[in-house]
Amino acid sequence: MAYAESPKGLSKWQQVVRNAKAFGTFLYDKEKGEVMGRGAESWGKITVFFIIFYLCLAGFFAAMLNVFLATMPDPAKAEGPKFTQYLAGRSALRISPSHKISNFNKDKSGEYNGYVNSINDFLSAYKQQNDTDFAAEYCNFTSTKPMPSGQEKQCKFDLTQLGPCYSNANGFSYGYGDGAPCFFMKMNKVYDWVPEPDDGLSYIKIVCEGAKVYPEQTPGFPVGFFPYRGQGKWLSPIVAVQINGTSNEEAKCSAYAKNVERSSTFLLERGAYNRVRIQIQ
């Protein structure tokens, strides 16, 4: 059986044989003494290059790993995170259900039930506080001293301090059904940070333009709940911000204390800290 001739005058089988011989010569050229197109000197140089390259890569990885481990706490010493000085006093204010709600209509419960459910989830841990794990004798709303170290019980937050923004009644809508929605605010945790309230105060003061802040008598985060030392059941103090949705559509809130800094922006999307803008759309 004759093979079809290629344009070069070689059959397909002959081309396969020729290519196989060429590949074999590439792997080892006996006449030139080359392996895969390189002589002994060339292979020596490239081997040395890659040894140095991978040693440098391994050294860089080891250095970065060492830097990372330097920021980790030592379990044997019960230490907390390191380098928290970059976060102390520059905490973000977190809002529940959100710092921006859309399509709000107090007459249509279906449009705000999602926000109410989100608030219920946010407050669930506070509603479950018990006398076994939580206490209030050393961390109340008027104490000017931080929480003592070594306490087995965590600070108990009294939700009834949040005025009209809280009720344990079934179906409570947190003001959304009345056209005056409530938002709940807390600070991000910063390990072992203790706030220093302004003179005469026992809390980080929260001031909101266009809204009312609760607790009414101590509108802010009580210093007695701080610091956070990695306690598993520690709960951050919270404040409630109530906006009259019929007359205002936004509120701008800021935190004030001696060791609290504030960003120039109120927008969380732009990295705001200790300031936040709440919008109703």
Side-chain angles (χ1 to χ4, degrees):
M1 180 177 179
Y3 291 98
E5 293 293 322
S6 69
K8 294 183 179 180
L10 296 177
S11 67
K12 290 184 178 180
W13 175 250
Q14 289 173 327
Q15 287 187 38
V16 170
V17 172
R18 187 187 67 171
N19 291 338
K21 289 182 178 180
F23 182 68
T25 303
F26 166 73
L27 292 177
Y28 177 64
D29 191 332
K30 186 176 181 179
E31 294 181 359
K32 297 181 179 180
E34 294 179 344
V35 176
M36 298 179 68
R38 294 180 180 274
E41 182 179 355
S42 178
W43 277 114
K45 290 179 180 179
I46 199 170
T47 300
V48 171
F49 168 80
F50 277 105
I51 289 175
I52 296 174
F53 173 77
Y54 283 112
L55 284 175
C56 292
L57 195 64
F60 176 78
F61 175 79
M64 293 299 100
L65 182 61
N66 188 58
V67 170
F68 171 74
L69 292 176
T71 67
M72 299 296 291
D74 185 352
K77 298 180 181 179
E79 295 178 342
K82 301 177 181 179
F83 301 118
T84 56
Q85 66 268 28
Y86 301 108
L87 300 175
R90 306 182 73 181
S91 178
L93 299 177
R94 296 303 177 188
I95 304 296
S96 178
S98 173
H99 66 283
K100 182 185 297 184
I101 62 174
S102 304
N103 303 319
F104 174 64
N105 187 331
K106 68 182 183 65
D107 298 320
K108 296 182 179 180
S109 61
E111 295 184 1
Y112 62 73
N113 276 340
Y115 299 124
V116 173
N117 292 335
S118 180
I119 293 173
N120 284 329
D121 292 340
F122 174 79
L123 295 178
S124 62
Y126 295 87
K127 293 179 181 180
Q128 295 172 13
Q129 296 174 109
N130 54 57
D131 295 334
T132 302
D133 301 313
F134 296 88
E137 62 266 21
Y138 51 80
C139 46
N140 52 54
F141 285 77
T142 58
S143 174
T144 58
K145 297 181 180 180
M147 182 171 57
S149 60
Q151 296 292 338
E152 293 184 1
K153 294 185 177 182
Q154 305 308 309
C155 289
K156 187 175 184 178
F157 189 88
D158 183 6
L159 291 173
T160 61
Q161 296 284 333
L162 300 179
C165 284
Y166 176 75
S167 172
N168 202 29
N170 291 330
F172 184 65
S173 66
Y174 304 102
Y176 284 77
D178 302 319
C182 292
F183 299 81
F184 296 84
M185 179 190 305
K186 68 178 181 178
M187 301 182 78
N188 278 353
K189 298 176 183 177
V190 179
Y191 186 88
D192 210 28
W193 178 71
V194 179
E196 299 174 11
D198 291 334
D199 294 339
L201 298 180
S202 60
Y203 52 90
I204 303 172
K205 188 175 182 179
I206 299 296
V207 177
C208 292
E209 299 176 12
K212 294 190 68 175
V213 181
Y214 299 95
E216 196 166 15
Q217 300 301 319
T218 56
F221 306 118
V223 67
F225 283 71
F226 296 89
Y228 168 68
R229 300 188 179 96
Q231 308 96 311
K233 297 190 177 183
W234 186 85
L235 292 176
S236 170
I238 57 179
V239 299
V241 178
Q242 187 174 37
I243 302 177
N244 188 337
T246 59
S247 58
N248 294 319
E249 293 184 347
E250 77 169 28
K252 291 183 176 180
C253 301
S254 302
Y256 292 90
K258 292 179 180 179
N259 60 343
V260 164
E261 300 178 40
R262 289 167 297 282
S263 60
S264 59
T265 179
F266 285 84
L267 301 179
L268 292 177
E269 298 89 343
R270 297 184 180 178
Y273 49 88
N274 291 317
R275 274 184 169 165
V276 66
R277 182 174 71 178
I278 304 172
Q279 292 179 291
I280 301 176
Q281 299 178 336

